[in-house]
Amino acid sequence: MNDSNNTANPWIVPITLGASGLAGFIAGKLFGNRPMSARRILRMVRNDFAREGQIAGSWIDHRPVPFQRFAVKTNAYQGGLTRREDDELVNYEFKADAYTGSLLELKRIED
């Protein structure tokens, strides 16, 4: 038997685990926890509002801004839309979480 194979075997498992852990860490930093596109979030909000009435127009700022409510901190996109309610145009402004698309704030704008 070859003695060199027996001495190398104890190191294979730790080296393999270390390399796979490092690869997982790098992949997580590169691909994990990325914000959604502003267009996708606007499409989600428009679809939710379209269920209750016709949308006349919409907009979204493509740069996320810091948002904090109590102890929760995240980045959010700001946007707005206009829809017809009782034959009148009504404006809304919203803030949506940049990572999940969830509405964080919604305000009806009174003229």
Side-chain angles (χ1 to χ4, degrees), residues 30-42:
L30 290 175
F31 303 113
N33 206 18
R34 286 189 175 193
M36 297 170 68
S37 73
R39 264 189 203 153
R40 182 174 178 198
I41 290 177
L42 181 59

Side-chain angles (χ1 to χ4, degrees), residues 15-102:
I15 289 173
T16 304
L17 289 175
S20 64
L22 181 62
F25 175 77
I26 291 171
K29 287 294 182 185
L30 290 175
F31 303 113
N33 206 18
R34 286 189 175 193
M36 297 170 68
S37 73
R39 264 189 203 153
R40 182 174 178 198
I41 290 177
L42 181 59
R43 195 174 336 122
M44 290 168 55
V45 173
R46 282 182 58 99
N47 288 341
D48 288 344
F49 267 79
R51 291 182 192 144
E52 296 180 20
Q54 183 181 4
I55 305 293
S58 62
W59 63 273
I60 193 163
D61 188 354
H62 286 259
R63 291 167 292 152
V65 295
F67 180 85
Q68 180 175 356
R69 170 126 336 133
F70 307 110
V72 177
K73 295 180 183 180
T74 189
N75 287 327
Y77 290 113
Q78 299 179 94
L81 54 85
T82 304
R83 76 173 180 186
R84 192 163 288 285
E85 294 177 2
D86 298 325
D87 294 327
E88 290 184 25
L89 291 178
V90 179
N91 295 310
Y92 291 89
E93 287 185 356
F94 65 85
K95 290 186 182 174
D97 189 300
Y99 299 98
T100 65
S102 300

